[in-house]
mmCIF file of all heavy atoms in Angstrom:
data_model
loop_
_atom_site.group_PDB
_atom_site.id
_atom_site.type_symbol
_atom_site.label_atom_id
_atom_site.label_comp_id
_atom_site.label_asym_id
_atom_site.label_seq_id
_atom_site.Cartn_x
_atom_site.Cartn_y
_atom_site.Cartn_z
ATOM 1 N N PRO A 474 -89.976 193.522 95.267
ATOM 2 C CA PRO A 474 -89.365 194.564 96.117
ATOM 3 C C PRO A 474 -88.697 193.874 97.291
ATOM 4 O O PRO A 474 -89.245 192.944 97.865
ATOM 5 C CB PRO A 474 -90.550 195.425 96.554
ATOM 6 C CG PRO A 474 -91.752 194.563 96.363
ATOM 7 C CD PRO A 474 -91.438 193.651 95.213
ATOM 8 N N THR A 475 -87.493 194.325 97.617
ATOM 9 C CA THR A 475 -86.690 193.575 98.583
ATOM 10 C C THR A 475 -85.891 194.523 99.454
ATOM 11 O O THR A 475 -85.357 195.524 98.979
ATOM 12 C CB THR A 475 -85.716 192.641 97.824
ATOM 13 O OG1 THR A 475 -86.467 191.687 97.076
ATOM 14 C CG2 THR A 475 -84.796 191.904 98.779
ATOM 15 N N GLY A 476 -85.812 194.188 100.731
ATOM 16 C CA GLY A 476 -84.907 194.899 101.627
ATOM 17 C C GLY A 476 -83.672 194.049 101.855
ATOM 18 O O GLY A 476 -83.767 192.829 101.973
ATOM 19 N N GLY A 477 -82.514 194.698 101.887
ATOM 20 C CA GLY A 477 -81.281 193.956 102.135
ATOM 21 C C GLY A 477 -80.393 194.706 103.107
ATOM 22 O O GLY A 477 -80.477 195.936 103.212
ATOM 23 N N CYS A 478 -79.573 193.962 103.812
ATOM 24 C CA CYS A 478 -78.708 194.603 104.804
ATOM 25 C C CYS A 478 -77.412 193.821 104.949
ATOM 26 O O CYS A 478 -77.399 192.597 104.821
ATOM 27 C CB CYS A 478 -79.420 194.671 106.149
ATOM 28 S SG CYS A 478 -78.474 195.557 107.417
ATOM 29 N N GLY A 479 -76.330 194.533 105.196
ATOM 30 C CA GLY A 479 -75.037 193.897 105.403
ATOM 31 C C GLY A 479 -74.383 194.355 106.698
ATOM 32 O O GLY A 479 -74.489 195.535 107.070
ATOM 33 N N ILE A 480 -73.745 193.425 107.369
ATOM 34 C CA ILE A 480 -73.036 193.742 108.612
ATOM 35 C C ILE A 480 -71.675 193.058 108.571
ATOM 36 O O ILE A 480 -71.581 191.868 108.280
ATOM 37 C CB ILE A 480 -73.816 193.243 109.847
ATOM 38 C CG1 ILE A 480 -75.088 194.056 110.031
ATOM 39 C CG2 ILE A 480 -72.950 193.308 111.103
ATOM 40 C CD1 ILE A 480 -75.881 193.671 111.266
ATOM 41 N N GLY A 481 -70.628 193.814 108.854
ATOM 42 C CA GLY A 481 -69.298 193.228 108.991
ATOM 43 C C GLY A 481 -69.233 192.483 110.311
ATOM 44 O O GLY A 481 -69.313 193.070 111.377
ATOM 45 N N ILE A 482 -69.112 191.157 110.202
ATOM 46 C CA ILE A 482 -69.129 190.333 111.413
ATOM 47 C C ILE A 482 -67.963 190.682 112.339
ATOM 48 O O ILE A 482 -68.119 190.765 113.555
ATOM 49 C CB ILE A 482 -69.065 188.833 111.040
ATOM 50 C CG1 ILE A 482 -70.406 188.385 110.434
ATOM 51 C CG2 ILE A 482 -68.720 187.977 112.238
ATOM 52 C CD1 ILE A 482 -71.530 188.287 111.421
ATOM 53 N N ASP A 483 -66.815 190.940 111.758
ATOM 54 C CA ASP A 483 -65.643 191.238 112.581
ATOM 55 C C ASP A 483 -65.865 192.491 113.420
ATOM 56 O O ASP A 483 -65.529 192.548 114.590
ATOM 57 C CB ASP A 483 -64.422 191.405 111.679
ATOM 58 C CG ASP A 483 -64.325 190.268 110.689
ATOM 59 O OD1 ASP A 483 -63.767 189.231 111.048
ATOM 60 O OD2 ASP A 483 -64.855 190.417 109.569
ATOM 61 N N ARG A 484 -66.459 193.491 112.778
ATOM 62 C CA ARG A 484 -66.699 194.739 113.510
ATOM 63 C C ARG A 484 -67.817 194.575 114.513
ATOM 64 O O ARG A 484 -67.817 195.203 115.579
ATOM 65 C CB ARG A 484 -67.021 195.849 112.525
ATOM 66 C CG ARG A 484 -65.836 196.105 111.620
ATOM 67 C CD ARG A 484 -65.708 197.549 111.295
ATOM 68 N NE ARG A 484 -64.524 197.773 110.516
ATOM 69 C CZ ARG A 484 -64.436 198.709 109.586
ATOM 70 N NH1 ARG A 484 -65.490 199.456 109.327
ATOM 71 N NH2 ARG A 484 -63.309 198.892 108.955
#
Side-chain angles (χ1 to χ4, degrees):
Chain A
T475 297
C478 184
I480 291 183
I482 288 288
D483 312 275
R484 297 216 176 147

